[in-house]
Amino acid sequence: MLFRSPGTDVVIAVGQDFVDRETQSMSWEIGIGQGIHNGMAWYDQADLVGCAKAGLGPAPCTEGDLRTYTVQANYEISFYPVRRVGIGARVGGGILYSPLLIEKTAYADEVIGEFGVDPGMHNAIKPVVFGGPTIEYYTKLSHFSVGADIDVFYGIGWDLGLNGTAFLKYTF
């Protein structure tokens, strides 16, 4: 998705530590998320590189702005080099859906009709995998921590991407 710029991503997740030692932790997490991504109009994308099906050409053209919905699960391992700081890695997977935001007839006539190809971005649920580093700081306030994740993700039949996410976590 050469033509997307970062937008807003909101994830609500629950999880649990299954290893909790002074110098190491491991946890699982499941969550649901919604992303809003800003992008070029399809005709500007087409003028720049042309349109093709995902994985078969220079780039798949999409309708422009996108909304994505995900259900995801991940595993995280962290080490604590100092008392309140955790540095780790996470890997996960899930499913992603991006509904068509313009009228189906306009999309069929203008995008598919113009280029004779449906990029397949809006017509099915796509599997997604992701992974990357994480850092977390445990505050002096009971149960609160702040941190950041940087995930490289690949939506199979979708595209490669990079997400940087800051978080505030409350732990029971």
Side-chain angles (χ1 to χ4, degrees):
M1 300 271 267
L2 177 65
F3 310 105
R4 296 298 143 249
S5 60
T8 304
D9 187 31
V10 177
V11 177
I12 296 175
V14 296
Q16 182 176 9
D17 289 344
F18 57 89
V19 172
D20 189 13
R21 299 184 192 135
E22 190 173 325
T23 59
Q24 176 189 14
S25 70
M26 289 185 232
S27 64
W28 61 266
E29 181 181 274
I30 56 172
I32 56 172
Q34 175 184 335
I36 300 171
H37 313 278
N38 301 314
M40 287 179 164
W42 66 268
Y43 44 81
D44 291 332
Q45 298 170 40
D47 289 344
L48 190 61
V49 297
C51 293
K53 286 190 178 184
L56 298 179
C61 290
T62 62
E63 62 184 306
D65 294 343
L66 293 175
R67 186 163 296 217
T68 57
Y69 299 95
T70 58
V71 176
Q72 61 196 38
N74 68 284
Y75 162 80
E76 183 178 311
I77 183 168
S78 291
F79 298 94
Y80 303 93
V82 294
R83 185 168 182 214
R84 295 187 177 277
V85 177
I87 298 171
R90 48 191 244 135
V91 296
I95 56 173
L96 175 142
Y97 178 66
S98 180
L100 192 59
L101 298 178
I102 63 176
E103 259 187 58
K104 286 183 181 185
T105 54
Y107 184 73
D109 293 344
E110 295 178 20
V111 179
I112 298 171
E114 177 78 17
F115 298 101
V117 62
D118 181 355
M121 307 298 257
H122 306 291
N123 56 6
I125 293 172
K126 308 288 185 186
V128 64
V129 294
F130 60 90
T134 184
I135 186 165
E136 189 169 6
Y137 173 74
Y138 294 88
T139 69
K140 290 184 179 184
L141 297 172
S142 294
H143 306 284
F144 283 98
S145 63
V146 294
D149 299 325
I150 299 173
D151 291 326
V152 173
F153 70 90
Y154 181 69
I156 299 166
W158 185 257
D159 210 349
L160 185 66
L162 178 70
N163 285 338
T165 308
F167 61 83
L168 170 66
K169 189 184 290 183
Y170 179 80
T171 306
F172 293 96

